[in-house]
Amino acid sequence: MISTLHAPALIQAKVLEGIIRAAGVTRLEASRLLAGEGLRHNSLSGHSGADGMPPAIPLATYMRLFEKLAQNMGRPTLGLDLADRMGPGLVGPIGYVLLCSPTLSAGLEAFSHNVFSIQGVTSFAFSRQPAPMLTYTISDEAMRPRRHDVEFSLAYVHHLVRQGLDGAFAPREVYFEHARIGDLSHYERFFGCPVYFEQRVNALVLDEGDLVRPMARADPTLATMLRHYIALMDRRDAAPSSLSETVDQILSGIIGARAVTISDVAARLDTSVDTLRRQLRGEGMAFRTILRKKRAAMACRLLQDSDLSVLEIASRLGYGETASFTRAFMAETGEPPLAWRRRNRWQG
């Protein structure tokens, strides 16, 4: 069993409520589904608690329920199909910030800094090199199955951008980390571009020319006011995370085709290697341990959610050879990668 460094992450219950409503299931069906996770239907839309915050549920519970809902309905592309039924308010004020930003680039910058950053476990990141790309990352590898959440999240952003550009928009390409289950043509019709699976990231790849396009509902003054409000809420809600959690989150974005070193992480934190090692020791952790556990957890997800070979997974995690990957994986899990895959394969 691979342990996680993260405290349990939460998501606003209204997101799940919106998905259940958009899926069109009956209240009785929804109640039975929720009861399996120890939830009641009216708890999703209840009033704010004593802290003034809206109801929240564990993020892992939300992901499991999304998968169960898709299975029960027999809809392998449910996450994709529900996205264009959601309004900007699903993610709070930042949905409106995206729509009223002066340009698409400004909207994506604001969106990536504020939405879905759930206790550091999930995040959107907007970058322009080597190509404009909006990536969606879930850094807690223990949170799976995640396919419908990932597809819904990227499809929802695509839907918002199309709204903001009056429907005249399509990415250059779309990437998903997991294996494909639904019909490929359905994905490509939805996004209007080629869609690829079992990739290194979950991402919308954009055209440079689209980034400077003005948003149809541009209102920079309102966008600024909403961003100020979001910043105030973030300061109120922010909970300090340990350095080891921060390192774990950074590794989610940089583990790839080459070996990752402590120098790579220290550079991201704008600190020295010696300082990083000393601070991790203060938490009773070592970089090598965090990296080993992170690689093993990522390997478990890839073994479970993709059809990649052991050789491909070893390469993706930065191992020089399959044998070294297998030894490290067995040290963490107690069994070889293929045996783990046979026992834990997700059949969703």
Side-chain angles (χ1 to χ4, degrees):
M1 181 69 176
I2 303 297
S3 61
T4 175
L5 294 170
H6 301 287
L10 305 175
I11 187 172
Q12 288 189 17
K14 70 173 184 178
V15 177
L16 179 60
E17 181 188 29
I19 287 169
I20 290 175
R21 186 187 306 117
V25 299
T26 66
R27 187 176 181 87
L28 177 60
E29 291 171 324
S31 296
R32 287 173 176 167
L33 184 69
L34 293 168
E37 294 286 346
L39 298 174
R40 292 179 297 129
H41 198 283
N42 59 8
S43 67
L44 301 185
S45 55
H47 298 295
S48 301
D51 58 359
M53 297 303 295
I57 60 174
L59 180 60
T61 300
Y62 156 79
M63 290 184 181
R64 284 196 302 271
L65 285 169
F66 210 155
E67 296 284 340
K68 289 178 181 178
L69 180 62
Q71 283 188 359
N72 291 352
M73 298 182 69
R75 296 178 61 179
T77 59
L78 182 64
L80 190 78
D81 299 338
L82 297 185
D84 60 1
R85 303 183 189 181
M86 304 294 177
L90 182 73
V91 291
I94 194 59
Y96 294 97
V97 172
L98 174 58
L99 294 181
C100 65
S101 292
T103 64
L104 176 58
S105 177
L108 292 178
E109 288 277 6
F111 190 86
S112 65
H113 287 136
N114 292 281
V115 76
F116 286 153
S117 181
I118 305 171
Q119 291 180 269
V121 172
T122 71
S123 64
F124 272 104
F126 174 57
S127 61
R128 302 184 73 146
Q129 295 296 330
M133 182 181 296
L134 185 74
T135 59
Y136 177 57
T137 303
I138 303 174
S139 61
D140 189 342
E141 301 299 329
M143 289 194 174
R144 57 182 192 269
R146 59 177 67 177
R147 183 171 65 88
H148 287 288
D149 169 71
V150 170
E151 293 185 3
F152 173 79
S153 298
L154 285 188
Y156 177 69
V157 177
H158 173 267
H159 169 60
L160 289 185
V161 172
R162 280 183 56 83
Q163 280 190 315
L165 295 177
D166 277 344
F169 167 77
R172 281 176 50 195
E173 297 174 334
V174 175
Y175 302 151
F176 290 114
E177 291 180 311
H178 52 262
R180 177 176 61 85
I181 295 181
D183 181 37
L184 179 60
S185 63
H186 182 57
Y187 288 90
E188 296 190 335
R189 282 195 302 270
F190 181 92
F191 288 106
C193 69
V195 179
Y196 302 96
F197 292 82
E198 297 184 327
Q199 302 300 301
R200 296 186 182 279
V201 294
N202 303 302
L204 302 176
V205 183
L206 311 170
D207 274 312
E208 190 73 43
D210 283 332
L211 299 182
V212 297
R213 291 176 60 187
M215 301 295 274
R217 309 181 195 179
D219 187 338
T221 300
L222 177 59
T224 300
M225 292 173 62
L226 289 173
R227 290 179 70 175
H228 177 67
Y229 168 77
I230 292 168
L232 291 176
M233 294 297 291
D234 283 348
R235 282 198 292 271
R236 188 184 77 173
D237 301 334
S241 28
S242 67
L243 178 61
S244 54
E245 289 177 337
T246 301
V247 170
D248 181 79
Q249 292 154 19
I250 290 172
L251 288 174
S252 295
I254 65 176
I255 288 178
R258 64 178 182 84
V260 174
T261 68
I262 190 171
S263 298
D264 297 320
V265 176
R268 296 292 183 102
L269 293 172
D270 195 24
T271 189
S272 69
V273 169
D274 289 342
T275 299
L276 178 55
R277 281 200 175 105
R278 183 174 64 254
Q279 291 176 337
L280 286 174
R281 280 199 302 270
E283 295 183 0
M285 297 296 293
F287 175 76
R288 182 174 296 182
T289 301
I290 299 173
L291 177 61
R292 185 183 70 244
K293 289 183 177 296
K294 185 67 174 181
R295 279 171 150 179
M298 291 178 74
C300 288
R301 174 172 58 81
L302 292 171
L303 288 165
Q304 188 176 50
D305 294 347
S306 79
D307 295 319
L308 295 172
S309 67
V310 172
L311 175 61
E312 290 171 316
I313 292 173
S315 175
R316 184 164 295 191
L317 297 178
Y319 286 95
E321 56 182 11
T322 304
S324 58
F325 162 63
T326 300
R327 285 194 299 271
F329 187 84
M330 290 182 66
E332 284 296 314
T333 65
E335 58 186 325
L338 289 180
W340 192 97
R341 171 177 267 173
R342 284 192 295 270
R343 192 170 55 82
N344 294 278
R345 183 68 168 167
W346 173 246
Q347 301 293 339

